[in-house]
Amino acid sequence: MKEATAKTTSPFSLDLLPLSKSHREFLKTLHGLGITQSVPSSKSVRRYLDLWLPLVAEYNNRCSSSLEMVDKEIGASGVELVGLVPPSDVAWLWHCHRLAPRRYVEYIHNQPRLATKHEESKTEEVSVTETKTLEADPPFALQHYHREDNNAECDEAKSTEIVEEKGEGKVLILPHTASTAAAATNARVLWEKMYPTESFFLLCPETTNSSCVNLTIQDEEKANPGGFDLLGSALRQKDFLWQISDPNFDEPTFLAKGLENYHKFLILRTTPNGQNQIIVPTYQI
């Protein structure tokens, strides 16, 4: 029998219990949409590395600037500081990349185009550049373009909500909240301003299309940002949902115990034995 609540005192600044549930919903939705069931395409890799990450960096520039939101190149009309929600194919690659935080941060820091403009002093009008980790805000969010001629896809993605008509289809957004919907629109507006000739959504037929799926040697080399095997990560992570599909992962007490064990695991990692050998956490952790 499920308990309504599971009281626990968390040593963490973030509320990890609802985030763990959001993580599962994110993976379940990607699976239902078929995103995790095939090798990411060369188009998705390019969209993630060459388009999405620079877009997030540009958004961070706007957030960190104390000046008015005015940009001579792409303008600021319609772009708000409410977060960004990536398209589903990009969301999956971004998620897999950030699961290796050290490699992800190293890659971001080594890309001048991803540097964030920062006002060093409020009293001096001096602007310097620094590199800021590009994080997902809101976390575990995605948006997916659903064509009307594929009802099965919509049925599979039950955790999303249709929020907007778009052409001959509809846009599905996760999580289905007003704030996420605003962030989803925000991402599309900024994308259109920065990349007017690029489609925000990956518009490929639902059936396998070689132009969307096949990878050349050059594509595979590009899919190794900073030496990190992005496609290999996606291949490994696609089965993680199966590992956390047990009903226990819906139980508040089980999740609360996992939070407690996670804290103990982190403490263990700081001990000499924990630092000198590889220790693998359980799926609960």
Side-chain angles (χ1 to χ4, degrees), residues 22-248:
S22 297
H23 187 185
R24 285 187 72 206
E25 287 302 310
F26 176 79
L27 296 178
K28 286 166 64 177
T29 300
L30 286 170
H31 177 80
L33 294 172
I35 302 297
T36 62
Q37 299 181 48
S38 59
V39 177
S41 70
S42 59
K43 289 186 177 180
S44 291
V45 172
R46 184 184 72 85
R47 282 157 49 79
Y48 166 59
L49 295 175
D50 295 344
L51 303 180
W52 179 255
L53 288 182
L55 181 145
V56 178
E58 170 60 27
Y59 174 78
N60 280 350
N61 284 335
R62 294 166 181 265
C63 291
S64 61
S65 174
S66 63
L67 302 175
E68 293 294 327
M69 294 291 120
V70 176
D71 189 298
K72 294 181 180 180
E73 293 185 3
I74 65 174
S77 176
V79 178
E80 301 179 13
L81 306 184
V82 294
L84 300 170
V85 175
S88 53
D89 65 312
V90 169
W92 174 231
L93 288 172
W94 199 19
H95 175 72
C96 291
H97 199 179
R98 289 183 296 113
L99 285 175
R102 182 178 63 83
R103 302 297 293 274
Y104 176 71
V105 170
E106 286 178 354
Y107 175 75
I108 298 299
H109 285 190
N110 289 327
Q111 300 297 311
R113 60 182 177 160
L114 302 182
T116 301
K117 295 176 183 178
H118 176 65
E119 191 176 15
E120 188 175 27
S121 171
K122 292 184 179 180
T123 58
E124 300 178 5
E125 294 184 358
V126 177
S127 183
V128 298
T129 58
E130 64 176 12
T131 303
K132 181 179 179 180
T133 301
L134 307 182
E135 272 300 343
D137 177 25
F140 304 118
L142 63 86
Q143 53 182 316
H144 182 83
Y145 181 73
H146 161 68
R147 291 212 313 272
E148 290 287 4
D149 58 358
N150 193 339
N151 293 325
E153 181 185 77
C154 185
D155 291 340
E156 286 291 333
K158 295 183 184 297
S159 56
T160 58
E161 179 176 321
I162 297 174
V163 296
E164 180 182 342
E165 302 281 347
K166 188 174 179 64
E168 298 180 353
K170 298 178 180 180
V171 176
L172 292 79
I173 294 177
L174 178 78
H176 42 298
T177 64
S179 60
T180 307
T185 299
N186 200 47
R188 297 198 300 271
V189 168
L190 184 54
W191 181 288
E192 185 175 353
K193 290 178 179 297
M194 291 182 67
Y195 315 119
T197 63
E198 297 275 357
S199 172
F200 180 79
F201 295 103
L202 182 62
L203 302 178
C204 285
E206 301 303 332
T207 55
T208 301
N209 184 308
S210 60
S211 66
C212 285
V213 176
N214 286 353
L215 298 175
T216 65
I217 294 177
Q218 290 77 13
D219 293 331
E220 292 180 354
E221 290 176 350
K222 184 176 181 59
N224 282 268
F228 176 71
D229 185 1
L230 188 57
L231 297 182
S233 176
L235 183 63
R236 292 188 299 272
Q237 294 301 326
K238 71 182 183 66
D239 295 327
F240 182 71
L241 176 62
W242 182 85
Q243 303 288 352
I244 57 173
S245 294
D246 188 280
N248 277 331

